[in-house]
Amino acid sequence: MIRNGVKQRWAEGKPVLNGWLSIANSFSAEIMAAQGYDSITIDLQHGIVGYDGAVPMLQAMRASGVTPLVRVPWLDPADIMKALDAGAYGVICPMINTRAEAERLVSYVRYPPAGVRSFGPSRALFSAGPGYAAEADDEIICLAMIETAQAYENLEDILATPGLDGVYIGPADLTLGLQGKRYAPGFDRREPEMIEAIKTILHAAHRAGKRAALHNGTPDYAAEAVGWGFDLVTVSNDVRLLAGAAEASVRTFREL
Amino acid sequence: MIRNGVKQRWAEGKPVLNGWLSIANSFSAEIMAAQGYDSITIDLQHGIVGYDGAVPMLQAMRASGVTPLVRVPWLDPADIMKALDAGAYGVICPMINTRAEAERLVSYVRYPPAGVRSFGPSRALFSAGPGYAAEADDEIICLAMIETAQAYENLEDILATPGLDGVYIGPADLTLGLQGKRYAPGFDRREPEMIEAIKTILHAAHRAGKRAALHNGTPDYAAEAVGWGFDLVTVSNDVRLLAGAAEASVRTFREL
Amino acid sequence: MIRNGVKQRWAEGKPVLNGWLSIANSFSAEIMAAQGYDSITIDLQHGIVGYDGAVPMLQAMRASGVTPLVRVPWLDPADIMKALDAGAYGVICPMINTRAEAERLVSYVRYPPAGVRSFGPSRALFSAGPGYAAEADDEIICLAMIETAQAYENLEDILATPGLDGVYIGPADLTLGLQGKRYAPGFDRREPEMIEAIKTILHAAHRAGKRAALHNGTPDYAAEAVGWGFDLVTVSNDVRLLAGAAEASVRTFREL
Amino acid sequence: MIRNGVKQRWAEGKPVLNGWLSIANSFSAEIMAAQGYDSITIDLQHGIVGYDGAVPMLQAMRASGVTPLVRVPWLDPADIMKALDAGAYGVICPMINTRAEAERLVSYVRYPPAGVRSFGPSRALFSAGPGYAAEADDEIICLAMIETAQAYENLEDILATPGLDGVYIGPADLTLGLQGKRYAPGFDRREPEMIEAIKTILHAAHRAGKRAALHNGTPDYAAEAVGWGFDLVTVSNDVRLLAGAAEASVRTFREL
Amino acid sequence: MIRNGVKQRWAEGKPVLNGWLSIANSFSAEIMAAQGYDSITIDLQHGIVGYDGAVPMLQAMRASGVTPLVRVPWLDPADIMKALDAGAYGVICPMINTRAEAERLVSYVRYPPAGVRSFGPSRALFSAGPGYAAEADDEIICLAMIETAQAYENLEDILATPGLDGVYIGPADLTLGLQGKRYAPGFDRREPEMIEAIKTILHAAHRAGKRAALHNGTPDYAAEAVGWGFDLVTVSNDVRLLAGAAEASVRTFREL
Amino acid sequence: MIRNGVKQRWAEGKPVLNGWLSIANSFSAEIMAAQGYDSITIDLQHGIVGYDGAVPMLQAMRASGVTPLVRVPWLDPADIMKALDAGAYGVICPMINTRAEAERLVSYVRYPPAGVRSFGPSRALFSAGPGYAAEADDEIICLAMIETAQAYENLEDILATPGLDGVYIGPADLTLGLQGKRYAPGFDRREPEMIEAIKTILHAAHRAGKRAALHNGTPDYAAEAVGWGFDLVTVSNDVRLLAGAAEASVRTFREL
Ligand SMILES: [Mg+2]
Ligand SMILES: [Mg+2]
Ligand SMILES: [Mg+2]
Ligand SMILES: [Mg+2]
Ligand SMILES: [Mg+2]
Ligand SMILES: [Mg+2]
């Protein structure tokens, strides 16, 4: 089985730069896969992408060697197992709030006896190379999103879940969850209490022997997060990159 | 944020005429959006439409100004939140049978602290105009379908759910639920006990300060329902309109 | 090979009632195929349908037994042959203006030595039953649209084309072609000179031993056309049927 | 309502040969439907197929008369009811581990009062012929997959579920569930303890008056299973048939 | 009929800023349509987009009010007329090399007697507002691409074509055409002989009373081109904007 | 630019084994690409595949390293150039009957001054690696199908076309063309006059310094053809492989 590039970089002590796809098109996925990310995540939660749209995106990224991940829409065994069968090397699961939910997440990505994943990796048998049945449990990663007040309270419990690879912080939801509508939701928080919350999660993860990941809006903030110790950082997504570049191009032209 | 036309009409004391889409095509959606409905619902439950088919339909209706709603397949946070992120201004949720289910429904369509909706309105940020994060909780509506014996028993409880905008009656299921297979399922019930059940729900909703909506087969029955006091009436759907018109055209020709 | 229902009805001296599809969806096609038409044409010219959209429509209509036809976008061998390979039992070709064009049309739908159609009926081998290679030339029909001033002038020449099954009148284009913008384009012409032109084509076709077909907006006009002698009449299409029925439903409701 | 071919063969005392689709294409479905299977199942669990991809496959198989079944991704009412509304004549549900789960499965496929299926068979009204509302509960079948250690323990309980038509054995998962990773997952088990487990399920099913089905890799093993008494056997799937035939063709060429 | 924004800006003496789409997705089209372009062109020639992919893109851009144009794959009546029927307000046609080709282009976009466009604006009747039949010939624009040595030689002839709105320069092909492989193909030419060629076309167009348009890679070059007198300038496309922004984001992160 | 594997094998004196795709699905394409073919051709002529369906197939095959070819529907510059821009490494063009047609074919696949291909390899820039503009003319191959009586007569003329890489024999059409309906169309001809015709083309090609390719139904015939000297042999296609394997599986089961 082809190794999981995310785990390999982690084993080498290197942070992972993750790209993010919200546009349901295989050509934009292929373009993004050529830009130098270590891993790219198809966002089936907030992305405007469903399962039928995601499969050709996974296929179009295969040749690049970038590690394909999927953010699933919710803690649902069908969605998680279908993403893995289609070739994803890991799932990021939103809104994990309790130890029980974290355990369910782990169980959905591991074959028995470690979990309850059903066997039938129809595309993965082609895309992941030989040895899938024996090695998938070791290669596939699962990251629980910590992004609510409840999750923050249950942080230690969640982090103690065997088989969980790490946690992934969604700063927009975490801000909403911890502060309500006091601050506008978004990435790259600068409020001291949010930075403290983010670092609290980071350090608790590392104490528990887990990886910590952060969703970011800009490369600068992401680099800062890596400096804090984050193991994986997502920077922006296809929608923001496209909209931002087009808006800048139009503005530049209009001002000339 | 662009105002919710359904709420606006209600604020003006006017009933809402709702169209219904079960064909997964963006051109038929664009055609329907030009016919004068106040709102149009894409039916992800019984319609032959999945998420990947629904997105272009929402886009094709945007220019018309008609208010886009979605009937979700079931009380499932992923389906509900994906519909809203894709730009729906409201969800109609089938088979709400208890107060607990109604509370879950409300929680899925409101951001914290009112609910647990996850933040990431990827398309809505484009389609709904500025201010989405701050105003979505006020603009988005959620309607619980009352269509089983259990729901009918729990009616008062369900209607007392804070944040629920109203109830939506599915006459086919309600007839099955209350009468079993005694009557053929369908809309536009004429059995006295069914009319009584429908009016019971209507009046209970209004007493609870909620809106009441009814699914109808014909404009005549819908107009009658508005006379009873219904706030939103759906009349037929794309499948029945097309089949009915084609059948009538063929029959007319054959008889000439 | 399953017989061509259009030819069968013609052999029995009966007129053919043809439906028309401009919405690229297999469910709307399946619905239309259940309404009693003798044949149904997928409109790849003015319909909002391309080849990739048309194939599932052909498949969805197969079970109904309705005879599937395709109006191709133009006199182009690729489009014509692909439609036939996908299972169409006939092509209606727009804008045939000369004998040479009519001959090209015929050549594209017949295998050598009668024509130049390339062999490879990939789907037709499944959908049309055994015997395709031997019988297709006899079963497949081709109709040349007469809808320009030039075609009207060359009418006798076009009608003398061996292998051409008949002509199909597009009244909107024919009106534009013969009268310019003097009249609004549309079906169901009532101007005496247009009725005369239509009847001229009809009678010339019959004199030449060819079939004559007319595109109509209403069953009444179509029935009248059958009275004049037309062999195939199209009545309306999915777009107009859906829009008309929805508009009438909304109007009825608003007026109640 | 068109009769369920699977139930008809069972009533005649004949075993059912079931095909299996994991490629999301309506033409490959149409091809498979021409090969002589009694029923064909679209695999929405491990197949690389989502709902939007499955609908045209159901349509493309309709003309063949083969009985269309769906394996749903999980025990989820939305997925199950959408498959039935789209015209499936039965569902195979993975990972049924308890009596309670089996009861939920049954409830999702039966209308009240037998179950909780919501009424709205949008496509089935066209594809299944008249009488759907009255007859669907009798024609639609549901099979619970027995494929975990927990299910094996609860076998008698599950089999006692009223309304359940039978059980379907997934040998790959069952081997994983009963033996862990001791054996490679796969079909056509030859280990004595696995054959015993398979026969135990078969005989328990028959004792309980239920049908028993088995997923197989080869026609030989399937024929053997029929000899043991199995009522329905699946043989291979489109992916394995295509890959196997292509691999054999390439190998033959290379060796010549 | 809704006015053509390109013609309106030209009538006001303002240059048009045109966006360019090569990714076949309706959400990326909707995003691009929100960035402030005056017009946006779907590239059916070199874009990875076919007709079936382009229709939802046109629909998704409708609400923005941006003027939708299409670059067709070639001088082919089917492609040109289908683009217009689907709602495009203009076509840019590649590789127009002679007066005869320019005349054919004009004829395909105008109804008789001005041209040979066939009548049936199925979607345009919905998207363009009332009056299409009477006004389309005045609103729809056609631009001939001048991008070969032959076209350059025939420039005056081509520009004298009645009904042609203007010429559109493709600098990559023009460089190849005039210089062979001496220079790498691309936009934003700086070679004196290429600037001269570009200005020669510009001035010839204006002398002939036609508009001149230029494809550009950067807003700076486009602004310079407007300074030279160009009436419409395209700046970059979705592929380059996305790839460029992602590449810059990755590089910035890697360098921090 | 990544080298063309077909040319590389030819340079090494080895024959090329070519696969063939007629099912419009990216997963079946990915499966086929894993079976050991040297090149795989997507059949846009007789395959049930259009442009929008072919792009994800090209993407899904990219990781395999198999050389992707396209059979275009006809000698049409738009179809040919779009296939190349989407990443095809060669085109097989049906029904080339004259030297003039062969010259047009060559011109469509070569950039000026060798041909008239328009520059804009949108996907190929990503999939083919750096250097495309400079090297594509050397890497891309074009094969003219010889499959009519007229082509057979003009064989020497066609083969003398500069820039043409070779000829590809379609035995079904060639049999129809040379023998009319005397023999059933199909591959693997055994009639002496057809074998002679095939060998005549083969030897003429080699005398002219061109490659010769043959479409075959079985590996045995293909191996025999390689023995005769053919440089590229296609064996069967996805449709026949799938149908054949399924039919054999069903038959085997039924007979056991
Ligand atoms: Mg979140
Ligand atoms: Mg209901
Ligand atoms: Mg016409
Ligand atoms: Mg299983
Ligand atoms: Mg160009
Ligand atoms: Mg051929």
Side-chain angles (χ1 to χ4, degrees), chain C residues 36-171:
Chain C
Y37 297 101
D38 300 313
S39 61
I40 293 185
T41 301
I42 300 174
D43 184 4
L44 288 172
Q45 184 193 21
H46 294 303
I48 307 301
V49 193
Y51 174 83
D52 288 304
V55 170
M57 298 168 74
L58 287 167
Q59 295 176 307
M61 295 196 291
R62 182 179 163 199
S64 71
V66 72
T67 302
L69 307 176
V70 167
R71 175 162 67 180
V72 292
W74 206 256
L75 178 58
D76 180 289
D79 291 329
I80 291 170
M81 296 183 197
K82 278 184 87 68
L84 297 179
D85 287 348
Y89 263 71
V91 293
I92 300 170
C93 184
M95 297 278 165
I96 297 297
N97 294 328
T98 64
R99 168 71 178 263
E101 288 176 355
E103 289 176 355
R104 283 172 54 207
L105 169 59
V106 172
S107 78
Y108 298 153
V109 303
R110 309 281 178 232
Y111 289 120
V116 302
R117 182 179 173 195
S118 177
F119 191 78
S122 300
R123 181 178 172 259
L125 285 181
F126 291 89
S127 59
Y132 192 86
E135 301 166 40
D137 278 358
D138 290 331
E139 294 297 331
I140 301 298
I141 59 170
C142 62
L143 302 177
M145 291 194 75
I146 301 297
E147 48 181 355
T148 65
Q150 190 186 1
Y152 196 70
E153 277 168 36
N154 293 329
L155 185 58
E156 304 289 336
D157 253 20
I158 292 169
L159 282 164
T161 308
L164 185 73
D165 292 282
V167 290
Y168 188 106
I169 301 175

Side-chain angles (χ1 to χ4, degrees), chain E residues 22 24 43-53 73-74 76 79 95 147 172-173 176-177 180-181 185-186 239 243, chain F residues 51-52 55 76-78 81-82 85-86 108 111-114 116-126 133-134 137:
Chain E
S22 293
D43 183 4
L44 287 171
Q45 184 192 22
H46 294 303
I48 305 303
V49 193
Y51 174 83
D52 288 304
W74 206 255
D76 181 289
D79 291 329
M95 297 277 165
E147 48 181 353
D173 274 321
L176 264 171
K181 293 185 181 172
V239 171
Chain F
Y51 174 82
D52 288 304
V55 170
D76 181 288
M81 296 184 197
K82 278 184 87 68
D85 288 348
Y108 298 154
Y111 289 120
V116 303
R117 182 178 173 195
S118 176
F119 191 78
S122 299
R123 183 179 170 258
L125 284 181
F126 290 90
D137 279 357

Side-chain angles (χ1 to χ4, degrees), chain B residues 45-46 71 94-95 145 147 169-174 187, chain D residues 118-120:
Chain B
Q45 184 193 22
H46 294 303
R71 175 159 70 177
M95 297 279 166
M145 292 195 73
E147 48 181 353
I169 301 175
D173 275 321
L174 187 67
F187 308 139
Chain D
S118 177
F119 190 79

